[in-house]
Amino acid sequence: MFGKLDLSAIPLSQPIPLITSAIVILIALGVLVLITVKGWWPYLWREWITSVDHKRIGVMYCLLGVLMLIRGFADAIMMRTQQAVAINAPGYLPPEHYNQIFTAHGTIMILFGAMPLVLGFMNFLVPLQLGVRDVAFPTFNSVGFWLTASGALLVNLSLFIGEFARTGWLPYPPLSETAYTPGVGVDYYLWAVQISGIGTLITGINIVTTVLKMRCRGMDYLRMPVFCWTALASSLLIVATFPVLTATLAMLSLDRYLGFHYFTNTAGGNPMMFVNLVWAWGHPEVYILILPAFGIFSEIFPTFSGKPLFGYRSMVAATLFICIVSLLVWLHHFFTMGAGAAVNTFFGISSSIIAVGTGVKIYNWIFTMYGGRVRFEVPMLWSMGFIFTFIIGGLTGVLLAVPPADFITHNSMFLVAHFHNVIIGGVVFGIFAGLEFWFPKVFGFRLHEGWGKTAFWLAFIGFWVTFAPLYILGLLGMTRRLQHINFEVWAPWLYVSMAGVGILILGVISQVVQLVVSIRNRDKLRDVTGDPWDGRSLEWATPSPPPFFNFAVMPNVTGEEAYWGIKLRAVETQQLSPEPKYEPIEMPINSPVGIYTAFFTSIFGFAMIWYIWWLAIVALVAAFAGFVVFAWRDVHEFEVPVEEVARVDRARRAARAALLERLSGTRGAS
Ligand code: HEA
Ligand code: HEM
Ligand SMILES: [Cu+2]
């Protein structure tokens, strides 16, 4: 009846997962009770859960991402502590638990932390920056988000019921085959990643279509903000490579569930096929994350330097160059697995060439600051911290791309240091820069500056204290994924690294304090103009927060930096453009299709993991039927009356007039 599921799945004999589970369940119950007591359900259901508004979906993606970053950080603290106390001793984590932790940490951080944040930024920003009212497929967008949330739910469920994979964040066969990992851990991985992967693909399709088909009048390709270009490049990579991941995991599932032999040496299978296929997705995946982060920096540097971006066209070219070349380097992850000198040379050179595209970008950002009136506000601090940190992480990447050097550093702590260096210094710093920068746009008030700066400096210093020792450890011969350590010489560096995590914890706390302090002082920090940073792209032309229809009248763009042009003209002529003729607007209505489909795919995934076949069939049919029934609508739009459009836009114009006065006073028409 319940397949493999019985009471032994609950980790009663393991205090750490048991206590963590209890705490998480209590917090979750507390939140649910609070929402119920306060009577917030109807509001949440109407305005968020069933919303098809790209801004709301973007915010929910970011919320999911931040929660998962904290979850992944908890894993990181446990690993660093274990490696500092398990020197010639067993430490406090049994080996099989440690293996689950690094697997969960890697999977969660990349697929459920960084990915949702990046997708959230793309969702929120792309339509606003292109001057349109939503993405191409708003209802589908909601399905994409909820499928990602469904995957995240399954990964976290493995903490309470059963176990997670112990294979590393990419489950290489033969270890991941049933013969060597018989439990449900790998199955949790497979279904969680499979379901969320489909969600990601949906968002990728949506963004590509939006950018190609939905730009406002005058928004030519070469007038789009660089963020939109990076979102396009990243989404093209999603569309090209996520199906490869889906196919690869489906093949591994067939091996595990039906005894196929795709990746076993018996009966003609080949584990190297998995390694090739998974990296054909896995390598582009890290560029899917970094490209939008590059886009965020490309918005922030010009804004806080008071200058247009240096080399706009070379930035676009470099983005597309990185997008294409990143598809041709996957083999650098397994130089040591016997490809031969000629093949290794090809992939070594193609990997190093990426440094050229990245270098172009770095020089462009530096030249943007050069000669500008640089304002060292919080988003700018994260961006400058990024340049310093990322260059070093990138350069160690180029070292790894030299096959003979990689034979020494492969799978060592040097590698672990490299990728945290680029992921934290690039993607995570980019996310924090973006959160600080666009927070006032989303919520209508700024974040507290003092706490923001404190958080930045703690994160920056904490990062280096945690990860610089790992480079040294790598060169001293320490390999990755060690549950305990037998060499005393490594001990001092492991202690330093653990102290670094202590600093990072303070950084995370400062970030939380910043949020709380800002919410309490929101009236003082309120942004009434919609343009708190003196921005340059169209999202700053809307009020903060933007109305659900974004623009009362669709903008007409006449050059690069669309909003900067509008502002310049207004300051020069000392007046806003005359009031337009308002018309009613058609907007898509909300739909429960996303949450409904995801609810049943979660049950489906759970049933597959535990071999509860009848439930899997019922849930799959329900998910599909629900998707068809709810997505199939006769009426899918409603009309916003012209009075409402006019009322919202007149309020915006009044705030603009005040802004115009301020701008003319401070800098004339410069
Ligand atoms: C956001 C994520 C991200 C980014 C941006 C990068 C960027 C790069 N990575 Fe990294 N990498 C990872 C995430 C990332 N990597 C992960 C997660 C792994 C490990 C996965 C695992 O095994 O679990 C990994 C592993 C990895 C390997 C495998 C090593 C091994 O397993 O033994 C290699 C080898 O070639 C490599 C190379 C590179 C290179 C050449 C770049 C380049 O793109 C860097 C380019 C940037 C610069 C060089 C700096 C700026 C440039 C200049 C200032 C111009 C001047 C410089 C020169 C001319 C050199 N990476
Ligand atoms: C915030 C601070 C972080 C710390 C202290 C940290 C620490 C660690 C540690 C100790 C490991 C295991 C190293 C080993 O193999 O022995 C690890 C692995 C890993 N981390 Fe992090 N990490 C952090 C953030 C991140 C982030 C933000 C990401 C990605 C977005 C990430 C992605 C990964 C990946 C992919 C692995 C490899 C997992 C595997 O071996 O399968 N980490 N990290
Ligand atoms: Cu790679």
Side-chain angles (χ1 to χ4, degrees):
M1 176 78 180
F2 292 112
K4 294 203 243 170
L5 184 62
D6 56 32
L7 273 184
S8 66
I10 297 174
L12 289 171
S13 57
Q14 299 168 22
I16 296 175
L18 197 66
I19 294 170
T20 326
S21 309
I23 295 173
V24 175
I25 291 174
L26 279 180
I27 295 177
L29 280 179
V31 172
L32 293 183
V33 169
L34 182 76
I35 296 176
T36 312
V37 171
K38 292 265 185 188
W40 288 340
W41 281 116
Y43 166 78
L44 284 180
W45 178 261
R46 206 177 52 239
E47 299 291 327
W48 292 91
I49 297 172
T50 61
S51 175
V52 298
D53 179 338
H54 70 100
K55 300 181 288 305
R56 295 273 159 99
I57 292 176
V59 172
M60 289 193 289
Y61 260 123
C62 289
L63 193 64
L64 174 69
V66 168
L67 283 177
M68 290 300 114
L69 280 191
I70 294 173
R71 158 75 216 268
F73 188 50
D75 291 331
I77 297 170
M78 290 175 78
M79 287 187 291
R80 283 269 62 93
T81 320
Q82 166 78 2
Q83 287 197 333
V85 298
I87 300 168
N88 286 332
Y92 71 105
L93 291 173
E96 71 278 6
H97 192 183
Y98 186 84
N99 294 358
Q100 286 181 50
I101 294 180
F102 66 66
T103 307
H105 167 80
T107 311
I108 288 179
M109 282 298 204
I110 297 220
L111 289 165
F112 300 105
M115 257 327 244
L117 277 155
V118 162
L119 297 177
F121 277 109
M122 300 205 291
N123 254 303
F124 187 87
L125 287 172
V126 166
L128 283 171
Q129 292 196 331
L130 294 180
V132 295
R133 296 204 169 109
D134 211 318
V135 288
F137 312 111
T139 312
F140 211 26
N141 201 14
S142 166
V143 179
F145 165 72
W146 285 107
L147 288 183
T148 306
S150 162
L153 178 74
L154 285 177
V155 171
N156 286 289
L157 212 55
S158 71
L159 191 67
F160 318 127
I161 308 172
E163 54 168 1
F164 197 59
R166 305 169 193 178
T167 50
W169 75 287
L170 295 178
Y172 279 16
L175 178 61
S176 56
E177 297 278 358
T178 321
Y180 304 99
T181 309
V184 292
V186 175
D187 302 322
Y188 262 113
Y189 176 96
L190 285 173
W191 293 105
V193 176
Q194 200 65 297
I195 291 171
S196 69
I198 294 170
T200 304
L201 182 63
I202 290 176
T203 303
I205 293 172
N206 229 329
I207 299 287
V208 172
T209 320
T210 307
V211 175
L212 296 188
K213 287 286 177 209
M214 294 196 38
R215 300 177 315 274
C216 71
R217 211 144 46 98
M219 183 64 82
D220 300 343
Y221 284 117
L222 283 173
R223 288 179 181 169
M224 295 197 305
V226 173
F227 181 80
C228 292
W229 273 107
T230 57
L232 174 65
S234 169
S235 305
L236 284 172
L237 285 176
I238 289 177
V239 173
T241 61
F242 266 77
V244 179
L245 174 70
T246 306
T248 314
L249 296 185
M251 285 155 87
L252 184 57
S253 306
L254 286 170
D255 275 13
R256 283 184 66 85
Y257 281 81
L258 295 175
F260 279 41
H261 295 279
Y262 285 116
F263 305 129
T264 58
N265 276 331
T266 47
N270 184 353
M272 276 316 288
M273 187 158 73
F274 181 90
V275 177
N276 271 290
L277 285 171
V278 88
W279 282 115
W281 159 79
H283 179 83
E285 165 62 19
V286 301
Y287 289 89
I288 291 171
L289 296 176
I290 198 71
L291 284 172
F294 287 167
I296 292 174
F297 297 122
S298 301
E299 304 298 309
I300 290 176
F301 280 114
T303 305
F304 292 94
S305 307
K307 272 174 70 193
L309 184 68
F310 184 91
Y312 169 83
R313 287 182 182 221
S314 62
M315 210 60 138
V316 172
T319 303
L320 295 178
F321 176 81
I322 296 176
C323 172
I324 292 165
V325 180
S326 73
L327 290 165
L328 303 174
V329 305
W330 76 89
L331 193 134
H332 68 205
H333 291 279
F334 45 99
F335 283 141
T336 56
M337 289 167 87
V343 174
N344 277 359
T345 309
F346 171 84
F347 283 95
I349 291 174
S350 63
S351 305
S352 312
I353 283 180
I354 300 224
V356 178
T358 319
V360 167
K361 285 176 171 270
I362 302 249
Y363 293 125
N364 281 344
W365 290 317
I366 293 175
F367 285 133
T368 305
M369 285 187 284
Y370 180 75
R373 259 186 265 167
V374 179
R375 287 178 285 153
F376 296 96
E377 305 219 32
V378 186
M380 191 64 171
L381 287 186
W382 286 105
S383 307
M384 295 172 85
F386 148 77
I387 291 212
F388 175 79
T389 311
F390 187 83
I391 288 181
I392 295 175
L395 290 178
T396 58
V398 176
L399 272 177
L400 292 168
V402 179
D406 184 64
F407 271 69
I408 298 168
T409 45
H410 179 57
N411 277 355
S412 71
M413 287 315 252
F414 189 91
L415 164 80
V416 175
H418 154 68
F419 69 72
H420 285 92
N421 205 164
V422 273
I423 293 192
I424 297 182
V427 182
V428 177
F429 279 21
I431 286 166
F432 284 133
L435 289 177
E436 298 277 338
F437 187 51
W438 281 293
F439 187 91
K441 178 58 39 200
V442 181
F443 294 106
F445 58 96
R446 288 194 207 208
L447 288 167
H448 187 275
E449 194 175 341
W451 280 106
K453 289 191 169 162
T454 313
F456 164 74
W457 283 110
L458 287 168
F460 182 72
I461 296 167
F463 168 79
W464 279 108
V465 180
T466 311
F467 289 97
L470 302 196
Y471 281 120
I472 300 168
L473 283 166
L475 295 175
L476 288 175
M478 181 170 166
T479 52
R480 72 194 291 192
R481 299 174 177 163
L482 292 182
Q483 310 103 4
H484 69 272
I485 279 102
N486 290 333
F487 295 94
E488 296 273 348
V489 279
W490 296 339
W493 301 112
L494 290 167
Y495 297 145
V496 175
S497 184
M498 186 174 145
V501 172
I503 306 177
L504 283 176
I505 294 176
L506 294 179
V508 172
I509 293 175
S510 307
Q511 207 94 55
V512 175
V513 173
Q514 184 200 30
L515 187 64
V516 175
V517 170
S518 312
I519 293 177
R520 287 187 149 189
N521 293 318
R522 60 186 176 281
D523 289 330
K524 255 196 273 159
L525 295 165
R526 178 97 41 214
D527 159 41
V528 283
T529 60
D531 182 16
W533 311 112
D534 203 5
R536 310 175 84 89
S537 42
L538 280 177
E539 74 272 28
W540 306 109
T542 62
S544 305
F548 62 95
F549 48 76
N550 292 354
F551 300 95
V553 180
M554 301 293 265
N556 184 5
V557 175
T558 53
E560 275 171 34
E561 303 204 302
Y563 175 51
W564 192 255
I566 297 174
K567 267 197 292 196
L568 261 192
R569 269 196 307 277
V571 173
E572 269 164 14
T573 57
Q574 284 299 307
Q575 58 189 343
L576 296 169
S577 50
E579 186 176 292
K581 189 174 161 319
Y582 295 113
E583 279 171 18
I585 297 175
E586 300 270 300
M587 291 301 291
I589 50 176
N590 288 352
S591 166
V593 63
I595 182 89
Y596 181 93
T597 310
F599 177 77
F600 283 104
T601 51
S602 305
I603 295 181
F604 167 71
F606 186 78
M608 288 304 290
I609 291 161
W610 290 99
Y611 289 42
I612 314 174
W613 308 124
W614 64 268
L615 184 60
I617 295 169
V618 171
L620 188 64
V621 171
F624 187 70
F627 177 76
V628 173
V629 169
F630 283 109
W632 197 301
R633 292 185 289 178
D634 293 331
V635 184
H636 41 87
E637 287 189 331
F638 72 104
E639 197 178 82
V640 188
V642 66
E643 301 78 42
E644 161 110 8
V645 177
R647 184 182 60 73
V648 172
D649 203 48
R650 287 191 185 121
R652 180 190 71 92
R653 290 173 60 83
R656 285 292 123 166
L659 176 71
L660 183 64
E661 221 160 87
R662 197 187 82 201
L663 287 181
S664 316
T666 54
R667 61 150 195 242
S670 69

